[in-house]
Structure formats: structure tokens, C-alpha cells
Amino acid sequence: MMRNLKLEIEYDGTDFCGWQIQPEVRTVQAEMEKALLQLTNEIIRVTAAGRTDSGVHATGQVINFKTASHLPDHVFRAALNSMLPRDIRVVSAVEVDEEFSARFSARSRTYRYYIINKPVAIGRQYTWYFGEKLNLSLMQEACRIIIDSHDFQSFCQVGADVDHYLCNVSDASWRQENDNLLFEITANRFLHNMVRILVGTLVKIGKESITLPQFQAIINAKDRTVAGPTAPPQGLFLTRVMY
Amino acid sequence: MMRNLKLEIEYDGTDFCGWQIQPEVRTVQAEMEKALLQLTNEIIRVTAAGRTDSGVHATGQVINFKTASHLPDHVFRAALNSMLPRDIRVVSAVEVDEEFSARFSARSRTYRYYIINKPVAIGRQYTWYFGEKLNLSLMQEACRIIIDSHDFQSFCQVGADVDHYLCNVSDASWRQENDNLLFEITANRFLHNMVRILVGTLVKIGKESITLPQFQAIINAKDRTVAGPTAPPQGLFLTRVMY
């Protein structure tokens, strides 16, 4: 009888070509499946809540997989942590109902994006250095426009394989956290590069190079070419998945 | 007429073999002098307040050097940041009196050491993962024994080239900072590996494997072999130098 295990994992995306397994490059999924093979002697395919891109981090990624192993849950956590490279850690492991899918059962995902205004050496892998002054209250105003259900095609990488672009954003806000500006957004689903394109566009509002009505017009246009640039990956973290 | 410049710098020690220039390895001093040569066309020797070891970080290292360059102070900062690798940043640059030495004029230096109790991927380069429970109040008690002038030979790497082992510790304390335990210590001078050997010994008090009277006896012994192990470098930061 196969068990279904749910793991919460954390990883530093700096040295990974993203989550998804691909030939000849280092990915988080490949490292996870390699460690699971070593532990269980089974060829295991894992499913993640969010397939993060190259350079993107996670503190609350959730994955699941089926296994015939009888190892207790806490042993899975400790044994995997001894086998995995240091830039991936298993935070928790728990057996769940066989119907559970880390990807399809997820009700919401939360991402954070960090921006720093001063040049730093320590933690430079975890934030976007942006040297210009930003008007935080205008960026906060723009969040009110984002919240709720909208078609986010303007904030989706061209060529993404999706049926539709509708996302329900339940929360979006900016705040100061130590030396960083922190953007936090929760939605039922995210399109490819959506958070990074949103940040690249919100920063243009913060620089006062576009207005709030122009931002509204960008949403309405449903056209990637009118939105701002894609912010770099290292500021982005998948922080929480709710089921 | 030569000018004397004082720079405050930050660096991520992960990929450096410490501060001091050595043949064939990457050091912070070598990278600084290379950038200064590129900027000024002068062969410049820089002096640092603290010669940090391999893997040790700095957020408040201070250096000085003599130059014939007439570039304004703020240009030094910006130009060096454009030439230096991303793991070194110049925080400030200011011209000072010709007598000033980053090393010999320093009245006190402050170091921090971070310990984390849970396994992490994000920020693992900046903290020591220590899985056992620590009694913080006992470790805090031990700090009271450290403060003031003592002979710290028990906490100095054997073979260090020093005249004497007397250090005046003006402040030492532990506190919780988010998920980390943070040790902060300020003294007029530090011996080689002193903070790391202190941390390695204080952690034994925290584990309750040695008592406070035993800790006092370790200080009195003036013998490196009776103190605890040297804690790993990645938890250590040089954070402030006072003049």
C-alpha cells in the first residue's frame, strides 16, 4: 500500500536552475528525487505547489510524493536532510490522504519580493538592489488595484501554457522590513513571472514614471508589452502555501 | 601631497581566504588593492582594523590608505563599488588626518556571532547551525565573567604572534534575534580566533556540559587546550570599529 507524503521544504535558489527537472542542469526537483532514491531505493516523482524559476528561493515550498517506504515521518525529514545538499532543507514531513496533491489541492500561494536601496555584500543573493528612491505610498496604493479577481495577462510571460489569465489576489502589500522594502502577495494561482513583472511595474509607479491610472490601463490592456520589465529572480521567495 | 582615506567596507567572507593578502588565493585585501590600482594607477597598500580569517564576514570593517589621487571622497565610494566584486561593498569613504591608522587608532572593535537551532538553507552562510538546546541564561551569566580586563590566552590560537594576552572586554552579551542566538562582544583588542573559541566554550556552558566555576577556571588556566573548540567561521561578523 503506497503512502502519500507531504513535505515542507526551504531552498536557496542561487545555485539552482529552478525547481523543475531538466537534463544536465542542477534543479531542486532533481536533487530531491536523487535523495529520495538514495533513501527508499524507489524511483520517486515529486510534485511541487509552485515551480519556481532559476534563482528564485523558497522558505515554504510544499511537495508531495507516493512511496512504499515504511519509515516514520520524522525519520524522512532527518534522513533527507543528511542526504540533501546544504542549500535544500526539509522543514517538515507528514503523511497525508492519498488524494492530496501539493499542486492541485493548494488554495493559495504567498510570495515575497525584497528590494534594497543601499548596496550590500551580505545577503545580496536574497534581494534586488535598486538605487533610486521609491515612493512607497504610491506603490501601496497600486496594491489596492491589484487585489481581487483580474485578468493578469499583462503580467504573464508571453507563450505561457495556460487556459486563462484570471487570478484571484486576496492580499498584496508593501512594507519596510529592516533595510528592505518587502512586497507580499497571496493569490489562488500565479502566472509565469507574474510576481516579478508586477514588481518591475510597481517600481515604475514608485519612481513616479507611471501613474496609478496608467497602471490600471496596463491591467486592462491584457498585453505583456505594456507592463514594466521582469524584476530579477534573487529578490523572490515562495513563502507559504495554504490547503 | 598624499591624502589619507578611511573607508568603511562590508564583505561576505564565504568565498574569501580571509582579509590578508596571500599568494594564489582570493582575499579581501587583494581585491581592494586591485580595485584601487585600477582606479588610481597607484600601487596602494591598505591597512584594516581587523584581519578577519577565512570565511568570516564584516559589515563594519574599517580600512585606510595613502593616495595621491584628487578624486572626491564620494567618487571613491561609487567608483570602487563599480570595480569591486559583488561580495565587497564600500559603505563610506572620507578623508582623514594623516596620523590616522585603521588598525592602531582603533579604540574598540565589536564582533557578532550568530547561532541557529533549526536547519536552514536561506542564510546558512551567515550562521552556525547548532542542533542541541542551549541554556541562554547560563550563557548570559558567563558573559559577566568575561567583561573587564582578563588574560585571554586560553581563548587564543596557539602560536599567535603577540606580546601579551590581556584584553579589556567592555561589553559581552547574548540575545535572541529572530531565529538566531546572537553573541555580541566589544573589546579594545582581540586575539587570534578569540571570539570563535569563546563561542565554542560558551556553547558548552549552554549545553550544561561545563559549569560557570569551570568556565572561570578555564580563564584562569591561560591554556588553549582547556577551552572549548573553535566555532566555525561563517557565524562571525566584524560589525563596528570605534576611534
Side-chain angles (χ1 to χ4, degrees):
Chain A
M1 159 95 177
M2 297 291 269
R3 294 160 74 206
N4 189 10
L5 283 183
K6 174 192 177 192
L7 269 54
E8 195 183 349
I9 66 172
E10 170 175 324
Y11 49 84
D12 181 330
T14 309
D15 297 328
F16 288 108
C17 292
W19 163 262
Q20 197 159 7
I21 206 160
Q22 295 169 64
E24 312 204 353
V25 293
R26 187 169 185 260
T27 72
V28 183
Q29 184 183 7
E31 293 294 334
M32 282 303 314
E33 294 183 358
K34 207 192 298 175
L36 284 166
L37 172 62
Q38 195 184 342
L39 180 64
T40 64
N41 256 317
E42 300 168 65
I43 292 171
I44 288 179
R45 181 99 314 181
V46 302
T47 300
R51 287 164 296 174
T52 55
D53 277 328
S54 190
V56 174
H57 315 290
T59 55
Q61 173 73 286
V62 177
I63 67 174
N64 81 292
F65 56 87
K66 305 290 170 80
T67 176
S69 162
H70 294 292
L71 290 171
D73 302 352
H74 69 275
V75 172
F76 255 96
R77 171 172 172 259
L80 287 172
N81 278 337
S82 75
M83 290 164 180
L84 284 165
R86 284 291 314 274
D87 48 358
I88 308 177
R89 293 291 93 182
V90 177
V91 177
S92 65
V94 57
E95 188 170 348
V96 288
D97 191 275
E98 63 170 332
E99 308 297 318
F100 175 86
S101 160
R103 181 170 176 198
F104 296 107
S105 309
R107 287 189 300 117
S108 76
R109 293 153 175 91
T110 300
Y111 283 89
R112 286 185 175 188
Y113 196 98
Y114 291 88
I115 293 179
I116 197 157
N117 192 249
K118 63 171 199 183
V120 288
I122 303 295
R124 69 196 179 286
Q125 317 86 323
Y126 306 128
T127 190
W128 179 24
Y129 167 55
F130 189 85
E132 296 168 71
K133 240 189 140 63
L134 293 169
N135 184 328
L136 191 62
S137 64
L138 280 176
M139 289 159 74
Q140 187 62 30
E141 287 275 335
C143 287
R144 288 200 229 157
I145 301 176
I146 297 169
I147 291 171
D148 213 337
S149 279
H150 299 286
D151 184 306
F152 281 94
Q153 186 169 0
S154 294
F155 306 93
C156 178
Q157 181 167 302
V158 174
D161 179 25
V162 285
D163 294 337
H164 68 93
Y165 299 92
L166 206 68
C167 305
N168 185 13
V169 176
S170 51
D171 210 11
S173 67
W174 286 93
R175 63 175 185 272
Q176 191 81 36
E177 193 180 88
N178 304 320
D179 285 331
N180 283 280
L181 281 184
L182 163 54
F183 177 59
E184 188 170 72
I185 182 168
T186 301
N188 64 328
R189 68 195 279 256
F190 286 89
L191 305 168
H192 194 197
N193 280 347
M194 178 168 149
V195 184
R196 291 164 59 191
I197 301 169
L198 274 170
V199 168
T201 310
L202 290 169
V203 151
K204 291 181 81 171
I205 297 173
K207 289 197 300 180
E208 302 182 18
S209 72
I210 63 170
T211 64
L212 292 169
Q214 284 173 314
F215 180 63
Q216 181 66 62
I218 289 168
I219 297 178
N220 297 345
K222 301 174 191 176
D223 175 0
R224 170 68 189 92
T225 65
V226 301
T230 306
Q234 77 273 9
L236 186 60
F237 289 72
L238 171 57
T239 58
R240 202 170 58 244
V241 186
M242 300 287 276
Y243 293 93
Chain B
M1 157 94 179
M2 297 292 269
R3 295 160 74 207
N4 190 10
L5 284 183
K6 173 191 178 192
L7 269 53
E8 196 183 348
I9 66 173
E10 169 175 325
Y11 49 83
D12 180 330
T14 309
D15 297 328
F16 288 107
C17 291
W19 163 262
Q20 198 160 4
I21 206 159
Q22 295 171 64
E24 312 205 352
V25 294
R26 188 169 183 262
T27 73
V28 183
Q29 185 182 6
E31 293 293 334
M32 282 303 313
E33 294 183 357
K34 206 192 298 174
L36 284 166
L37 173 62
Q38 195 184 341
L39 180 64
T40 64
N41 255 318
E42 299 168 67
I43 293 171
I44 288 178
R45 181 99 315 179
V46 302
T47 301
R51 287 164 297 174
T52 53
D53 277 328
S54 190
V56 174
H57 315 290
T59 55
Q61 173 74 284
V62 176
I63 67 173
N64 80 292
F65 56 88
K66 305 289 169 78
T67 176
S69 162
H70 294 292
L71 289 171
D73 303 354
H74 68 276
V75 173
F76 256 96
R77 171 173 172 259
L80 287 172
N81 278 337
S82 75
M83 290 163 180
L84 284 164
R86 284 291 313 273
D87 46 0
I88 308 177
R89 293 292 91 186
V90 177
V91 177
S92 66
V94 58
E95 189 171 347
V96 288
D97 190 273
E98 62 170 333
E99 308 297 317
F100 175 86
S101 160
R103 181 171 177 197
F104 297 106
S105 309
R107 287 188 300 116
S108 76
R109 293 153 176 91
T110 301
Y111 283 90
R112 287 185 175 188
Y113 197 99
Y114 292 88
I115 293 179
I116 196 157
N117 191 248
K118 62 171 199 182
V120 288
I122 304 294
R124 69 197 180 286
Q125 316 88 323
Y126 306 128
T127 190
W128 179 24
Y129 167 56
F130 190 85
E132 296 168 70
K133 240 191 142 64
L134 293 169
N135 184 329
L136 189 62
S137 63
L138 280 177
M139 290 159 73
Q140 188 60 28
E141 287 275 335
C143 285
R144 289 199 228 157
I145 302 175
I146 297 170
I147 291 173
D148 214 337
S149 278
H150 300 284
D151 184 306
F152 280 95
Q153 185 167 1
S154 293
F155 306 93
C156 179
Q157 182 167 301
V158 174
D161 178 25
V162 286
D163 293 337
H164 69 91
Y165 300 93
L166 205 68
C167 304
N168 184 12
V169 175
S170 52
D171 209 11
S173 67
W174 286 93
R175 64 174 185 274
Q176 191 81 34
E177 192 179 270
N178 302 322
D179 285 333
N180 282 279
L181 281 184
L182 163 54
F183 177 59
E184 189 170 72
I185 181 167
T186 300
N188 65 328
R189 69 194 280 255
F190 285 89
L191 306 168
H192 193 197
N193 279 348
M194 177 167 149
V195 184
R196 290 164 58 191
I197 301 170
L198 274 170
V199 168
T201 310
L202 290 169
V203 152
K204 290 180 81 172
I205 296 173
K207 288 197 301 182
E208 302 180 18
S209 71
I210 62 171
T211 64
L212 292 169
Q214 285 174 311
F215 181 63
Q216 182 65 64
I218 289 168
I219 296 178
N220 298 345
K222 301 175 190 174
D223 176 359
R224 169 69 188 94
T225 64
V226 300
T230 306
Q234 78 273 8
L236 185 60
F237 290 72
L238 171 56
T239 60
R240 202 170 58 244
V241 187
M242 300 288 276
Y243 292 93

